[in-house]
Amino acid sequence: MDNTNNCMVSVFCTTYNQEKYIGQCLDSMVNQKTSFPYEIIVRDDASTDGTSQIVREYHKKYPDKVIPFIQPENLFQRGLEHISFEKMFKMSRGRYIAICDGDDFWTDENKLQKQVDFMESHPDYSMCGHAAYFAREDGRLHDDKFFRLSSGSGDLSIEEIISKWSMATCSLLYRKSCRTDIIFPFRGKCVNDDYATMVYFALKGRVYYSDELMGAYRLSCNGSVSQRLLNDRDYLVKYSTEFVEMLDRINQFTDGQYANLIEKQKRITMFDMYLNLGDRKNLKQYKDVYKTACKSTKIRYLMCMYCYPLYIPAYKAYLKLRK
């Protein structure tokens, strides 16, 4: 992109071995209709399939928009992804940063324009996001599954953001000047950067949620974190443990101001982990979480505790239906 342009948005797209999805993702980005210039920085973490080549092809076709950042080695697997993110952040020129991973995509060609218009007219906001569809692996949108809040459009408090995963990652856009720490001081080794991002910017300013569906979160992608959590028990334990440790660091970072909410979130995380593991012994410690869980989770809990021989096959069947 020509450096003489006044770049308004830098889109951060991280991808790895997503040759089946990255084209739909990039199409949704390059086809945005805006009154301002924007750039798309695609960080490929040394993919071993055809993802890198597809990214290079998009750069050739859209040289003024798509900026390939192809890494020679996979840093995520070595726990060093923060190094490549620092480079990505420093090379970005936008006033705002929008996020969309390579297996997700946008569904509204005016998404960036709408979000920037809001942020430009509301300088006290650090971040905004919106509702999203759930998409099947082949990219078709679910008609009855959405990533949205029940409260409708409006501000999200830090308490709400700590209490739940409020917005899909592909919906987020934040003010770059509010990110005074390139690497969040409380993140540590936790791979759940989405949650850390929302908490960080909620502590930096106001956060707005739009109930307009403008993106899609793809379910059950090959190699995704969500799929690994379902299929790799060791990874599930590691992920959950590191997330709980990050919550402790957030508690320390905020001087215990949200201690009760953070403790509740820790218990929900451990409850979900033991439920997915089918660990009935440890689940007994979390009856308080069961009482406030949604109906489908309560059914899973009861099956795990009292109909265990049916629990695992029933859960596997449920996961197939999600696709």
Side-chain angles (χ1 to χ4, degrees):
M1 180 174 284
D2 186 348
N3 285 332
T4 61
N5 287 341
N6 182 22
C7 181
M8 180 67 77
V9 179
S10 295
V11 181
F12 283 3
C13 178
T14 300
T15 186
Y16 174 70
N17 284 358
Q18 294 171 333
E19 63 177 350
K20 293 197 301 182
Y21 320 124
I22 190 64
Q24 186 177 20
C25 174
L26 293 177
D27 282 340
S28 74
M29 294 176 178
V30 299
N31 291 324
Q32 288 290 299
K33 294 183 177 180
T34 66
S35 61
F36 49 78
Y38 64 96
E39 63 185 7
I40 305 163
I41 305 176
V42 188
R43 177 167 57 116
D44 185 315
D45 202 10
S47 292
T48 57
D49 62 0
T51 302
S52 301
Q53 182 57 35
I54 294 172
V55 172
R56 292 188 179 99
E57 290 171 359
Y58 271 82
H59 169 61
K60 290 180 181 179
K61 189 174 181 180
Y62 304 98
D64 292 334
K65 284 187 178 179
V66 179
I67 302 172
F69 178 22
I70 312 296
Q71 297 175 184
E73 61 178 326
N74 189 293
L75 296 182
F76 179 82
Q77 293 176 355
R78 296 173 55 195
L80 300 173
E81 71 275 11
H82 62 281
I83 295 175
S84 57
F85 180 81
E86 286 186 38
K87 293 180 180 178
M88 188 183 196
F89 190 83
K90 289 177 180 177
M91 68 189 289
S92 66
R93 301 180 303 106
R95 185 182 305 178
Y96 300 98
I97 304 294
I99 309 172
C100 186
D101 292 335
D103 52 352
D104 297 332
F105 55 95
W106 296 335
T107 58
D108 187 333
E109 62 187 6
N110 298 304
K111 168 207 154 70
L112 286 182
Q113 185 70 56
K114 291 175 182 178
Q115 289 189 293
V116 168
D117 286 347
F118 176 85
M119 295 294 282
E120 286 289 278
S121 60
H122 296 82
D124 52 335
Y125 282 75
S126 58
M127 171 181 279
C128 63
H130 54 75
Y133 296 94
F134 281 121
R136 297 175 176 85
E137 186 179 1
D138 62 8
R140 292 178 297 130
L141 302 178
H142 280 281
D143 297 328
D144 56 349
K145 295 181 181 179
F146 307 101
F147 199 138
R148 70 194 317 176
L149 301 177
S150 59
S151 55
S153 301
D155 284 12
L156 288 179
S157 66
I158 178 63
E159 289 84 0
E160 290 176 295
I161 288 174
I162 287 175
S163 299
K164 56 181 175 289
W165 188 12
S166 306
M167 297 179 286
T169 310
C170 64
S171 78
L172 302 180
L173 178 141
Y174 62 80
R175 198 179 303 275
K176 186 179 180 181
S177 61
C178 289
R179 186 161 188 160
T180 55
D181 304 281
I182 297 180
I183 304 301
F184 303 137
F186 45 73
R187 182 184 171 189
K189 296 180 180 180
C190 183
V191 300
N192 194 340
D193 193 52
D194 314 338
Y195 182 88
T197 298
M198 286 184 277
V199 170
Y200 181 86
F201 285 99
L203 293 170
K204 288 287 186 175
R206 298 172 70 180
V207 175
Y208 181 76
Y209 164 78
S210 168
D211 199 43
E212 188 172 0
L213 292 158
M214 295 191 286
Y217 176 80
R218 199 185 305 259
L219 294 169
S220 303
C221 299
N222 290 330
S224 67
V225 170
S226 58
Q227 188 182 62
R228 286 192 67 186
L229 289 173
L230 295 174
N231 299 322
D232 187 333
R233 294 170 66 90
D234 291 339
Y235 184 76
L236 171 61
V237 173
K238 180 176 181 292
Y239 177 96
S240 302
T241 302
E242 290 179 351
F243 182 63
V244 166
E245 291 173 351
M246 184 179 72
L247 288 170
D248 284 332
R249 289 191 292 271
I250 292 173
N251 187 47
Q252 184 178 12
F253 185 78
T254 56
D255 296 324
Q257 189 175 353
Y258 309 101
N260 291 337
L261 286 174
I262 289 173
E263 183 60 30
K264 182 178 179 180
Q265 187 63 32
K266 288 167 59 178
R267 292 188 62 77
I268 291 172
T269 301
M270 298 307 291
F271 172 87
D272 288 341
M273 183 188 78
Y274 290 128
L275 183 58
N276 288 333
L277 291 172
D279 187 337
R280 292 180 291 174
K281 180 180 178 180
N282 281 300
L283 268 178
K284 293 178 180 178
Q285 306 174 47
Y286 298 93
K287 290 183 178 180
D288 58 315
V289 179
Y290 159 76
K291 292 178 180 179
T292 59
C294 65
K295 183 177 180 181
S296 60
T297 299
K298 285 183 176 179
I299 292 172
R300 284 182 58 205
Y301 173 87
L302 293 173
M303 287 188 66
C304 181
M305 296 300 293
Y306 305 109
C307 305
Y308 190 72
L310 297 175
Y311 175 69
I312 298 300
Y315 186 44
K316 287 182 178 179
Y318 163 74
L319 294 177
K320 287 183 179 180
L321 290 173
R322 285 182 64 196
K323 297 180 179 182

